[in-house]
Amino acid sequence: PTMSTNHASLQSFAADNSLSGREVEVLRLVAEGKSDKEIGCALSVSIKTVANHNRSIYAKCRVNGRNELLAKLFSLSGS
């Protein structure tokens, strides 16, 4: 199941965590429930590149993985 978050809260979350423009694109697709393969296809990059972006996003957001990242994103957008 996917949850939706509005554009403003996504941008705010991205700014708060100093994400790059490309990381924001990846985060948006992750939030839509897309797999790394689907994200790679959507952005015309390899799965390894998506994985690298994910690692960078996780480090900047101080989370250990996709589920923790989404929990943090959606808890902030819901308030």
Side-chain angles (χ1 to χ4, degrees):
T2 61
M3 297 181 188
S4 64
T5 184
N6 68 45
H7 183 74
S9 62
L10 185 73
Q11 290 298 324
S12 174
F13 181 83
D16 290 347
N17 291 286
S18 303
L19 300 185
S20 71
R22 192 57 145 184
E23 289 166 347
V24 174
E25 291 180 71
V26 172
L27 176 62
R28 180 179 53 79
L29 293 168
V30 166
E32 291 176 5
K34 304 288 190 219
S35 69
D36 284 359
K37 183 176 181 179
E38 291 170 319
I39 294 169
C41 288
L43 301 179
S44 301
V45 298
S46 74
I47 293 174
K48 286 189 174 198
T49 300
V50 175
N52 288 337
H53 285 307
N54 285 338
R55 276 194 294 279
S56 178
I57 293 166
Y58 301 158
K60 288 180 178 182
C61 296
R62 294 185 294 272
V63 297
N64 294 312
R66 186 174 296 228
N67 290 338
E68 196 176 338
L69 174 68
L70 292 175
K72 189 172 187 178
L73 173 62
F74 292 122
S75 70
L76 293 175
S77 67
S79 55

